[in-house]
Amino acid sequence: MSARMRLTLWVTLMVALLSAFVLTAVLVLNRHSLPEDPASYLTSVVLDNAEDVEFDRGRMEWDDLTVYRRGVYCSFYNDEGELLLAADRENTEFAEIPFEANVIRTVMSGDREYYLYDVYVNMTVSGLWIRGVTRTDSSIGITEIILKLTVIILPVILILTFLGAYWISGRTFRPVRRIVETANSINDADDLTDRIGMKRGPKEMKQLADAFDTMFARLEGLFESERQFTSDASHELRTPVAVILAECERAESKKLTKEEYSETIARIEEQGRRMSQLIEELLGLTRMGQGTEKYPLTESDLSEFISMCVEEYIPENDRGISLETDIDSGITAAFNASLISRAVFNFLQNAYKYGRDGGYITVSLRERNGMAELAVADDGIGIAEADLSRIWNRFWQADPSRGAESGSGLGLAMVKGIAELHKGNAEAVSREGEGSTFFLRIPSAAAETDSSC
Ligand code: ADP
């Protein structure tokens, strides 16, 4: 049985039990508060009073007499019809009616019907009329009415309870159904883009749906980066593998001179290095997609760290290019040292690669608008405006032949990933033939302190 049906049946059963309990309580209380048959009860109250009439040294003893009991009003008159005692002495509506002993009569007062019963108590001194009055409907069939109403209303209440509980539990469990459907559709169609996307609903269910959506998004990210890695790796490794195989075939022909063998081995080695660099870069990019779990951020002095990275950088071929630094001291930020050194390395490598012979490179670090801004400027070949937005894409190269000796087209994609992981951004400003400046901005510690204050 489904959880929805169980809950519905439980609520309905509880309401049925509660109704039965309340009904029993009402019937029991009713039995004690009002007599079943008002006429016979009226008679018994009046006769009780008649038995209790006493005289004490010529004076009436009123203390034991009852003027009101459970719907019955009693009044006491002398032989002359004068009212001696009543629950409400002002109320004389029945006083005019002539006495008639031991007979139950039905009288009207206003539009209400009453039973009236008189008893005459004959005493030696004088006589006493006791008149009792009660409404004819004071208890008539009240039990029956309650039972009849119960027979009609209880099923209606139970049906409404069942339907209401079924509807509410249906709405409550809808996100669970949606979660199951989404999980199944992901399973069946291999489509990780599907989400529960619950906008409204019970708080706990919304939290559950949101948690699942976050998990689906994370899974999607992981699968996507794995897919990207596999496709990139197979695509990019195809060329060096083909070159290596061709070189091996050539070497196997055994008609090569010693020099040709050395050349072949050198080419195989170069392709091997290229493949190893590519795999390393691809793995770096893939890991970065998994966020700060793999690359935790630590707050420390960024100025010192950048200066150290620039000092340690050894250009592959310096071509007379001069390197200057303009780093503001004391800028701190939360960053991952291995990633930031990677970004500095990529910027410098590009600046040397695409820089002008005998030109210059400037590395600067400033704090602007809560961001630590690293800028690497060169006066090299620059980038065409149309290409500026594409340089951050994986494997994009303006002219692969220009930097083919060491480039893979992954360097800037990695810098962009590094910026995003630090919740910052990367940007390039360039003019073809004049030079480029590459920026990496990450939130500085000063900004974080400001926002947390
Ligand atoms: P690559 O390994 O080819 O350098 P990158 O991702 O680092 O890959 O750069 C992508 C492309 O952006 C390069 O191929 C080059 O065309 C262009 N580029 C990057 N840096 C510079 C620069 N400093 N000057 C001119 N072009 C650049």
Side-chain angles (χ1 to χ4, degrees):
M1 196 191 291
S2 69
R4 180 187 189 185
M5 187 49 91
R6 273 188 212 183
L7 191 72
T8 307
L9 288 179
W10 170 252
V11 172
T12 314
L13 180 73
M14 281 297 112
V15 171
L17 285 178
L18 187 72
S19 308
F21 173 75
V22 171
L23 179 69
T24 315
V26 166
L27 289 178
V28 170
L29 286 175
N30 177 49
R31 194 166 282 276
H32 282 90
S33 64
L34 287 171
E36 266 306 286
D37 175 12
S40 62
Y41 187 69
L42 169 69
T43 319
S44 70
V45 173
V46 175
L47 290 176
D48 277 355
N49 267 334
E51 276 175 25
D52 289 343
V53 171
E54 276 178 18
F55 275 89
D56 184 16
R57 279 170 258 140
R59 288 177 62 88
M60 275 284 279
E61 276 284 334
W62 299 110
D63 296 351
D64 296 336
L65 300 178
T66 306
V67 286
Y68 174 79
R69 187 188 296 161
R70 291 161 68 189
V72 174
Y73 293 86
C74 290
S75 39
F76 299 83
Y77 303 85
N78 62 17
D79 277 337
E80 283 74 45
E82 201 182 312
L83 181 64
L84 302 175
L85 175 71
D88 178 7
R89 291 181 72 90
E90 303 294 308
N91 190 355
T92 53
E93 56 183 313
F94 300 105
E96 309 301 319
I97 301 171
F99 292 104
E100 194 178 342
N102 306 329
V103 182
I104 296 244
R105 286 176 287 168
T106 308
V107 294
M108 293 297 292
S109 173
D111 52 359
R112 292 224 172 103
E113 199 176 48
Y114 291 83
Y115 286 130
L116 190 133
Y117 185 70
D118 295 334
V119 165
Y120 184 72
V121 185
N122 195 358
M123 288 169 292
T124 40
V125 192
S126 71
L128 181 73
W129 279 101
I130 304 173
R131 167 161 287 174
V133 181
T134 191
R135 274 173 63 173
T136 50
D137 62 355
S138 59
S139 75
I140 307 165
I142 195 111
T143 311
E144 265 169 60
I145 291 171
I146 290 171
L147 285 174
K148 269 185 199 153
L149 281 178
T150 307
V151 169
I152 300 164
I153 291 173
L154 192 63
V156 176
I157 290 177
L158 288 183
I159 289 170
L160 285 179
T161 308
F162 182 87
L163 293 178
Y166 196 70
W167 184 70
I168 291 172
S169 56
R171 282 182 66 88
T172 311
F173 286 116
R174 194 181 295 163
V176 176
R177 273 208 314 278
R178 182 84 185 99
I179 289 167
V180 173
E181 280 165 17
T182 311
N184 282 340
S185 91
I186 285 171
N187 230 0
D188 298 343
D190 248 356
D191 177 16
L192 278 170
T193 55
D194 212 357
R195 295 286 180 276
I196 302 161
M198 193 175 162
K199 298 270 180 297
R200 278 172 294 145
K203 196 173 139 207
E204 297 79 2
M205 287 297 163
K206 209 175 152 338
Q207 282 170 343
L208 181 69
D210 289 350
F212 267 89
D213 275 349
T214 313
M215 191 183 77
F216 290 146
R218 194 161 155 64
L219 278 180
E220 187 191 357
L222 286 176
F223 280 107
E224 177 54 29
S225 56
E226 194 186 296
R227 194 195 58 74
Q228 178 98 47
F229 175 79
T230 318
S231 104
D232 289 348
S234 57
H235 182 262
E236 292 303 311
L237 293 176
R238 205 170 285 157
T239 316
V241 167
V243 172
I244 288 173
L245 288 176
E247 292 295 336
C248 289
E249 250 174 56
R250 213 163 78 94
E252 271 166 9
S253 70
K254 294 187 182 153
K255 285 176 204 142
L256 300 182
T257 60
K258 208 175 165 208
E259 288 75 42
E260 283 171 329
Y261 266 125
S262 313
E263 270 173 36
T264 303
I265 287 171
R267 269 198 287 272
I268 290 176
E269 192 185 343
E270 187 199 318
Q271 293 303 322
R273 272 192 225 287
R274 199 166 148 68
M275 278 164 67
S276 137
Q277 186 196 338
L278 206 81
I279 290 170
E280 203 181 301
E281 283 177 338
L282 277 175
L283 273 177
L285 268 172
T286 308
R287 283 207 196 104
M288 234 169 351
Q290 294 169 15
T292 44
E293 270 167 46
K294 285 269 186 300
Y295 293 105
L297 309 184
T298 325
E299 194 176 311
S300 64
D301 192 325
L302 187 64
S303 308
E304 257 179 35
F305 186 72
I306 300 281
S307 305
M308 192 188 78
C309 289
V310 176
E311 264 168 42
E312 281 178 4
Y313 181 76
I314 303 163
E316 280 154 36
N317 45 16
D318 87 358
R319 293 158 54 212
I321 298 174
S322 61
L323 176 64
E324 281 169 27
T325 52
D326 178 13
I327 293 171
D328 285 357
S329 60
I331 300 176
T332 50
F335 63 92
N336 181 281
S338 89
L339 291 183
I340 294 294
S341 68
R342 187 81 194 227
V344 175
F345 176 87
N346 283 353
F347 278 168
L348 285 174
Q349 194 183 38
N350 281 346
Y352 273 101
K353 212 187 319 178
Y354 306 108
R356 195 162 47 84
D357 288 351
Y360 70 87
I361 294 171
T362 315
V363 178
S364 61
L365 183 71
R366 302 259 177 282
E367 189 161 1
R368 274 189 229 282
N369 305 324
M371 301 294 256
E373 182 186 79
L374 166 75
V376 178
D378 64 66
D379 58 349
I381 59 173
I383 305 160
E385 206 177 331
D387 292 338
L388 263 180
S389 59
R390 289 189 281 169
I391 53 172
W392 306 100
N393 297 345
R394 287 174 173 213
F395 301 116
W396 191 88
Q397 293 178 303
D399 176 5
S401 61
R402 293 189 307 185
E405 74 275 6
S406 60
S408 61
L410 284 175
L412 290 181
M414 186 165 256
V415 173
K416 189 172 163 232
I418 292 170
E420 282 165 4
L421 189 131
H422 286 83
K423 298 200 167 50
N425 59 64
E427 193 196 353
V429 178
S430 183
R431 266 173 181 272
E432 214 172 0
E434 288 182 23
S436 323
T437 306
F438 283 83
F439 296 97
L440 170 71
R441 301 186 188 95
I442 63 169
S444 69
E448 272 156 28
T449 326
D450 285 354
S451 64
S452 63
C453 284

